[in-house]
Amino acid sequence: MSETKPAPKTVADGNTVHGVVAEFSDVDSLLAACERVRDAGYTKADAFTPFPVHGIDKALGIKPTVLPWIALTAGAIGTCTALTMQIWMNGIDYQYIISGKPYISLPAFIPVSFELTILFASFGTFFGMWALNGLPRFSNPMFTSPRFDRATDDTFFLFLDAKDKRFDEAGAKVLLGDLGGEFVEPVVEDDSPKKIPSFLLIGLALVIAFSMIPALLVARMRVTKSSSPRFHVFPDMDFSPAKDAQQISTLFADGRAMRPDVPGTVNRGELDWDVDFQTGIDMEKLAQIDAPRARQLVAMMQSDTEIGEGDGEVAGEESPAEEAVEEVTEEPQTEEPAAEEPMADEPATEEPAADEPAAEEPAADEPEAEMQEEPESVKEESASEEPTAEETATEEPASEEPAAEAPAEEMAAEEAPAEETPAETAPEEAATPAEAEPPTEKPAAPASLAPASGPTVDTTPWLTENPLTVDAEVLARGQQQFNIYCSVCHGMNGRGNGLVNQRAQQILATTWTPPSSLHDQTLYQDAYPDGKLFSTISNGVRKMPGYAAQIRAKDRWAIVSYVRALQASQNATLDDVPASQRKALQAKQAEVQAELEKAAAKAAADAQQSAT
Amino acid sequence: MSHHQAVAPKPADDPAFTMPALLSGLSLPLCIGGLIALVGGAFLGTTSLGGRFGMSVYLTAFMYAFTIALGSLFFVLIQHLSRAGWSVVVRRVAELMMVMVLPLAILFLPIAYSVWFGSLYSWTDAGYQAEHGVPIAVWSEKLRWLNPQWFTFRACLYLVIWGSTAWWYYSKSQRQDETGEITLTESMQARSGPAVILFSFCTAFAAFDWVMSLAPMWFSTMFGVYIFTGSVLSAHCAIALLCYVLQRQGAIRDEVTVEHYHDLGKLIFGFICFWGYIAFSQYMLIWYANIPEETHWFAARYPGFSSTFGPISIALMVLHWGLPFLGIMSRHVRRRPWAVAIWSAYILIMHFVDLYWAIMPEASLGAGGAVGVLSSLLCVIGMVALMLGLIITVGSGTRLIPVRDPRLGESLAFENI
Amino acid sequence: MSLAVPNGLDNSVERPGTRAPLVLGESSYHSITEAVCKIAENPPSKLWVISFLVAVHLATMLGLCIAYLFYTGVGVWGNRNPVFWGWPIVNFVFWVGIGHAGTLISAILYLFRQEWRTSINRTAEAMTIFAVVCAGTFPGIHVGRAWLAFWLAPYPSLNLWMWPQFRSPLLWDVFAVSTYATVSLLFWYMGMVPDLATFRDRSKHPVRRAVYGVLSLGWSGSSRHWMRYEKAYALLAAFAAPLVLSVHTIVSFDFAVSQVPGWHTTIFPPYFVAGAIFSGFAMVITLMVPARSIFNIEKLITIRHLENMCKIILTTGMIVGLAYGTEFFIAWYGQVTEEKFAFINRAMGPYWWAYWTMITCNVISPNIFWWKKARTTPWIMFVVSIFVNIGMWFERFVITVTSLSRDYLPSAWAYFEPTWVDWAMLIGSFGLFFTLFLLFCRLMPIINMAETKATLAKELHMAHKDAH
């Protein structure tokens, strides 16, 4: 192990001797020596080894360290700091709700608490260890001997400290020599200069001075005011070219800030759309009697629709919404003039309104003839008198045309069983005003509804049948959706007295239009086809907003089916009840009847009493 | 650098390696008494609180014993996989608990029966779908996994895999006691890798099947890991406790030293932390995302929602994690065998609470009043007694440490740094 | 005092009852010092210089990309609606994962008394630090206005007068990753102090001696110091072990606390941790296999070390595979439409290629390690480790991108495509990593000499005992 032997260092006079050190070349002899030294009564002996020697603590009698306690304390402080910090910052000082969690959300505070516990405990361990070891310490008498450089390589040193009570230099040297130590020599004071070189001090002072400059600058800026605009180190979003959707922009040649959809294209996943299903209108028929409107409906649907969840259904369609809203809102207004001057009065209004009067006159007596005439007359009208509608249509007429027709054709194929000839629908349409009469005799619940029940004629070929196969599941779904969306105004029973209406009556809201009772006969299937009801749900009527955005088309149809069921429930006879339940029902009826009679008798008695 | 003396193993037929007489004498009474209590508990639960409650009580007791046996199996496999030396002296104790998988496979029969003819699992109810408003399409898909035939088949598969692994390792270890062949150790090591994979697979899916499917609509990918963690934790505790009991009775006194308790203590501490980690992560993710598909399981155990299981949830947090975490943190505790034994017994009790908390809420009767608690306790005590009796019976026919394991010397001389 | 183990000895074979040597060849304490110190003391080899130049250039490219990003804005990335977490987050998770093996080797294997860790832990820890540097870069620049990233710190601000949002997993991430970086640094540095003292004592040049002297804090090797030092080391190991778990757990929380299909699944924490260890060990092998032959330290980093790492890769690979399977199974078992779709979409959707790359690299390729031949042949494990690195990058890609590109709102579905800046930054981050790593190889002791000597001492002791 040993190389050339340098002459043992002579001890310069006046230098303090810190102790005596000896070298060992292997672990076992070192351990044996340590044990002997310990047994000889030395308590301040120390060994210097290139790696931790297992068992040397016992051999030297070194006591265990308090480090774990430091770590534990630091860790506990970390936990408390983290919890206090989070509870105070998010729970007390700056409260705001995020994702519905309480201000003080302990589960959410645990990760940070854990991290800070570990961080603090690690700091405690790391710095605690160096502090306990008295490090960093760059001036160590042990380092004075060049031989000691090998303490970090392959040599083991045993050191007897002069501070030890038992220490005497000569005796220590003999002891170490006896134990097999080589190069036994005293450890003397480190005689290298202790003064820190001045260039280091000056350098340090300069660094500190320069590092103050930015801090001072910031501090100065904090207290002074300036009229010049803010200094933008990073532009952030200060100069970002933001555009409003409706503004004119120079970004695109046509001056728009947003791009319209590419005409003639179909959005992904929309190919199999069923326009009838989405609008409640038999499109093929509409195309025959009012081609531009049909085209417009389809085109607008394609440009404005979004895809709903999951299976690519439509969640909302604004375009037919607008269309139909106009149409239905027209109803009460056109009520009176429609009866007197059907044609002349209307041309200025939009086409849906325009075709109403067109259909009105002949509807009563010559349905078939009218149906043939109508398409032509409407075409003429729209060509001549509808510049606004035409404008949008003519913008890209070539490409829009096929887009409008393709779905219609597809639909025709799909809807084959539901298809009806114009001849079949016409009488039905014609029957509408006739059958709409009774409501005037049997007034609807809220008086203000009366105008709506006037005889208006609607030629739109509404779907007369619910395209869904109505079964218990659909009805249950419809009921659920009805109860969620409709019942707030229309009431659970559909009589138009939902909670919102009750409240409106209570506070005597002046602008409130009471919701219709769904049991009004004008809203029955024969007077108000399923498609129309669907369209009303989708697009709203009067004060009622459209629900196309909230309720999926399928569910709207389910609601339609449920409304029909509700209506049927009011006209049900005992025959509709399953045989097994009839008895119970009759019994119940008798009971209720008796109660009613009793109540009536009592009321009569009361009235008499009060009268007298 | 260890300076301990090499310890020469005692001869293989030393009396220190045989089951102490007192314990041997207890085996039959334990078996019989245990079986009576087990059956009595389940019967009491069934007759007074219905079939589902009774079977849930039985399932809790069964899972309690089974998880410990599985954890022991895992312990043995992992020792071979990592070629561990320190653990040789405690491995036989783990092996004795590991073979309990075989009798437990028979005790699974009542559960299998209840899948066909009973009411333990609510997915066997014909009315479940309608009652809970589960869409028909969803329910029919569910039933493709949760149906009696397929369930039974899977259970058999798991049991066969576990049982054969346990038996194979047990018999090889036994044979080494006689012959001392080193090749046996080598072949056990070689097979431990695939065995661990099969083990993990079966454990995860058995946890889904046997416990998670009690709430058929609930799912958590972590659940297998959760059961596994409790299983390994309790197995380590059971090993420490059993070793301590054996030593108190005079067996393996010089072999299992304070160093082994120290190591078991460290592992127990580690698995307590791991259990806390897994339990917290599972709860945290479900709590944070807060979607009804998942929260209903915890809602049934939430303080303020359930008067029985809410407090147990809190108790689990404090008593299954917090208290033992602080208790076993110190090296001084881990280096005292009696302290390790006491903490082990404590954690074994908490492991029962953990499983009780996981299983019983699905019986929808709370704790079932005094009768319910009594039947739960009877069942689990009976199950534990039965298992102890069987362990003693098996242990009486063998030695309590693998006396000719090539690494026995290393284990005997083992010292913590 | 020296130990002679035949050089050609296959120490990957271990007869039960004995322990195979971890240091091969004729070795003494001094020869270990020589072998390790020479790597830093000898002039750099050509290979090192060339690799360093390449790495520095790539790192510069990363720097330039970041400058470009700051100047232009995050639009230079491919992150678009709906994939707002694109490559930067993928890279972040990838690099954090790489880092974990370092802590695992130094802390967890230490706690499990796996002595084979001694000659690889230093490099692995260094790898951790550098990987965390790379990882930290990405979320740092991902916040958009990176110059305001200090807003994440809970400091009392007069401008904002508000506090960070501690209920957000992203803030947990800040704490987790910074704690991890700090503790890893402490751990790494503390482990290096005795070896730096060796460097100090061997230095001839006064500047070198002064620098290493300051870095080694006046370490003398006193037994009292060693005693506290070892205690501190054990404590730090005990803190680092749960820390490493927590870091990737919290990274997984970033995903799993959300409600995005494919992200919200409870197995994420352990699964991410296993994945991180998996990728980290692969990276250690990628680094070690060439390094041990370039620096001539095959006797210290032996086949046994490599074989053990291969076994860990195999184990964690199996865990990851089991987690993939469990996720798929529960997605079906749970019968939640979106969840089912998310997983089918992963495997069969537009990113099927990424998914199957991931499966091939992570689940199939490590299976070659069932054969001992593969576990003991460096070039095979090198190739597999590269596969695993690729696979684990893709895992993060699959998780991040497939779920975001098609979540609840089909109208918002889109296909994510990276830009050249994404590519340049990914490659550049490797440049940064290797620059730091190559510097480390030249300036620091790449093998823990003190611990390796302690292992040698143990083997000497055993040999001594056997001789008697």
Side-chain angles (χ1 to χ4, degrees), chain B residues 298-376:
Chain B
F298 278 105
R301 292 156 178 80
Y302 216 66
F305 285 42
S306 161
S307 60
T308 313
F309 298 104
I312 294 182
S313 303
I314 304 283
L316 276 179
M317 206 157 64
V318 179
L319 302 179
H320 195 306
W321 177 76
L323 193 62
F325 173 79
L326 295 173
I328 315 181
M329 184 153 57
S330 165
R331 178 186 161 91
H332 301 290
V333 173
R334 294 196 297 259
R335 286 191 76 81
R336 280 173 180 65
W338 60 265
V340 173
I342 288 178
W343 276 114
S344 298
Y346 171 81
I347 294 163
L348 283 171
I349 294 171
M350 290 320 296
H351 179 57
F352 170 71
V353 178
D354 184 23
L355 287 172
Y356 186 82
W357 171 86
I359 293 172
M360 291 311 289
E362 303 309 328
S364 324
L365 286 172
V371 180
V373 172
L374 181 68
S375 70
S376 309

Side-chain angles (χ1 to χ4, degrees), chain A residues 214-480:
Chain A
L216 286 172
L217 277 178
V218 170
R220 183 176 160 272
M221 284 172 174
R222 276 228 166 264
V223 293
T224 50
K225 283 183 178 149
S226 161
S227 57
S228 54
R230 192 181 148 205
F231 179 61
H232 301 271
V233 183
F234 294 99
D236 286 349
M237 282 176 276
D238 299 339
F239 310 109
S240 76
K243 294 287 176 213
D244 246 352
Q246 305 298 327
Q247 269 178 350
I248 295 175
S249 154
T250 52
L251 215 57
F252 299 109
D254 63 356
R256 296 185 201 228
M258 288 180 83
R259 299 284 78 205
D261 279 2
V262 181
T265 56
V266 179
N267 285 344
R268 192 191 300 166
E270 294 175 10
L271 261 182
D272 54 346
W273 272 14
D274 184 337
V275 189
D276 288 15
F277 191 76
Q278 302 296 340
T279 55
I281 299 171
D282 187 332
M283 275 296 169
E284 194 166 322
K285 272 189 227 157
L286 185 66
Q288 282 173 16
I289 59 173
D290 186 358
R293 184 177 162 207
R295 201 155 50 225
Q296 201 187 9
L297 266 178
V298 172
M300 288 176 80
M301 267 184 62
Q302 277 176 356
S303 62
D304 287 356
T305 45
E306 302 166 11
I307 306 178
E309 326 89 283
D311 41 40
E313 266 183 81
V314 178
E317 61 265 28
E318 266 90 71
S319 56
E322 284 162 27
E323 195 83 6
V325 165
E326 275 157 32
E327 181 200 358
V328 283
T329 46
E330 221 76 52
E331 281 181 9
Q333 290 167 11
T334 53
E335 181 208 13
E336 273 185 295
E340 291 145 25
E341 26 187 340
M343 290 286 259
D345 211 18
E346 295 295 324
T349 58
E350 281 194 353
E351 35 171 3
D355 61 357
E356 265 175 47
E360 192 162 324
E361 201 188 26
D365 35 43
E366 281 183 32
E368 284 190 43
E370 167 58 22
M371 287 317 289
Q372 285 162 353
E373 269 172 42
E374 199 182 49
E376 284 172 40
S377 67
V378 171
K379 259 180 209 157
E380 276 169 22
E381 261 176 36
S382 58
S384 57
E385 292 160 318
E386 293 260 351
T388 45
E390 206 56 21
E391 225 170 54
T392 46
T394 46
E395 234 173 48
E396 261 106 14
S399 49
E400 208 158 304
E401 194 87 42
E405 276 164 26
E409 275 165 24
E410 221 174 77
M411 253 164 39
E414 280 170 17
E415 296 285 301
E419 205 177 2
E420 291 165 73
T421 59
E424 271 170 359
T425 29
E428 226 174 285
E429 298 265 333
T432 307
E435 285 193 14
E437 290 300 329
T440 44
E441 298 160 15
K442 191 182 169 184
S448 57
L449 253 188
S453 57
T456 51
V457 177
D458 174 11
T459 57
T460 313
W462 299 111
L463 290 183
T464 50
E465 272 177 40
N466 197 326
L468 295 180
T469 315
V470 178
D471 55 17
E473 205 177 328
V474 168
L475 275 174
R477 178 72 182 166
Q479 180 179 27
Q480 183 211 29

Side-chain angles (χ1 to χ4, degrees), chain B residues 1-2 83-86 138 141-142 145-146 182 185-186 194 197 200 205 208 212-213 216 218-222 263 266 277 281 284-286 288-289 291 294 406-407 410 414 416, chain C residues 14-17 19 112-113 167-169 172 231 245 249 253 256-259 264-267 269-270 273 311 318 322 326-327 329-330 332-336 370 457-458 461 465:
Chain B
M1 263 310 65
S2 32
R83 283 106 173 97
W86 72 273
V138 167
E141 279 289 295
K142 276 266 175 196
W145 184 261
L146 300 175
I182 287 180
T185 303
E186 278 167 350
I197 290 175
S200 337
F205 278 82
F208 295 154
M212 198 169 89
S213 82
W218 188 69
F219 55 90
S220 165
T221 33
M222 177 88 104
D263 249 18
K266 283 194 262 187
Y277 162 67
S281 299
M284 164 78 154
L285 293 179
I286 290 174
Y288 201 106
I291 49 181
E294 298 174 339
R407 296 201 177 103
E410 189 182 339
F414 165 70
N416 278 289
Chain C
E14 184 178 83
R15 204 176 139 75
R19 292 294 177 189
F112 281 117
R113 290 192 298 268
R167 283 160 291 175
S168 155
W172 309 341
K231 195 75 193 175
L245 256 70
T249 295
F253 282 173
V257 297
S258 72
Q259 296 167 350
H264 177 66
T265 163
T266 48
I267 206 165
V273 171
K311 286 180 183 169
M318 293 296 111
L322 185 64
T326 312
E327 273 187 329
F329 168 70
I330 293 288
W332 172 75
Y333 175 86
Q335 286 293 322
V336 176
W370 286 111
K458 200 167 186 176
H461 182 77
K465 210 170 67 181

